[in-house]
Amino acid sequence: MLISDESIGLEGEPISDYLKQLPDELIELAKPYRYRQFVILQLIAQEPKLLDIFKHSANLFWMLVAEAEDQHWTQQKLIDILHQKRESIVQAIVNIKCKKGCASFKSSFKINL
């Protein structure tokens, strides 16, 4: 659930106006991701192509955003990785290079790579 303007006193504040400009679809998709939610919304608003990635791999997207913030990546590095294949995104999150022999590792994520 997105934090409402009323619950935190944002009515009329610039952030409230910003959130009202975002598509309803994006707001709905971001509701389950309260941790780093605003970063996700901001990224997709700035780079609309990322919406498709978020629609198809929201958990992976969210995990990468969290890792990027924890590791202090630049926004451009985060966007560049998000445009890569899912395997590369997983590698960026867990900070390892996957070789041919790590199929069982990939399957443990229960995502289609």
Side-chain angles (χ1 to χ4, degrees):
M1 162 176 159
L2 285 174
I3 299 171
S4 70
D5 295 342
E6 299 80 28
S7 70
I8 57 173
L10 289 177
E11 194 65 41
E13 294 293 322
I15 194 164
S16 174
D17 295 338
Y18 175 77
L19 290 172
K20 288 176 186 173
Q21 295 175 19
L22 298 176
D24 292 338
E25 176 187 26
L26 176 55
I27 298 293
E28 282 301 311
L29 287 169
K31 280 184 179 180
Y33 302 94
R34 293 185 69 164
Y35 181 64
R36 307 252 166 85
Q37 185 180 72
F38 189 73
V39 175
I40 291 169
L41 293 170
Q42 184 180 26
L43 266 175
I44 295 172
Q46 292 174 354
E47 184 84 15
K49 292 178 184 176
L50 295 179
L51 179 57
D52 284 336
I53 299 165
F54 188 60
K55 283 180 186 177
H56 292 95
S57 299
N59 289 337
L60 196 56
F61 191 106
W62 171 79
M63 287 170 43
L64 188 64
V65 166
E67 180 68 13
E69 291 223 325
D70 290 346
Q71 299 300 321
H72 307 289
W73 294 350
T74 65
Q75 183 173 344
Q76 190 57 53
K77 178 178 179 175
L78 173 59
I79 289 169
D80 290 345
I81 292 172
L82 282 166
H83 284 292
Q84 295 178 18
K85 293 181 178 184
R86 290 182 184 127
E87 182 175 346
S88 298
I89 294 172
V90 170
Q91 288 173 2
I93 292 168
V94 297
N95 233 354
I96 65 162
K97 295 295 178 195
C98 221
K99 297 190 169 124
K100 288 183 180 180
C102 70
S104 63
F105 170 78
K106 289 190 252 179
S107 67
S108 69
F109 281 95
K110 299 199 181 359
I111 56 173
N112 295 324
L113 296 176

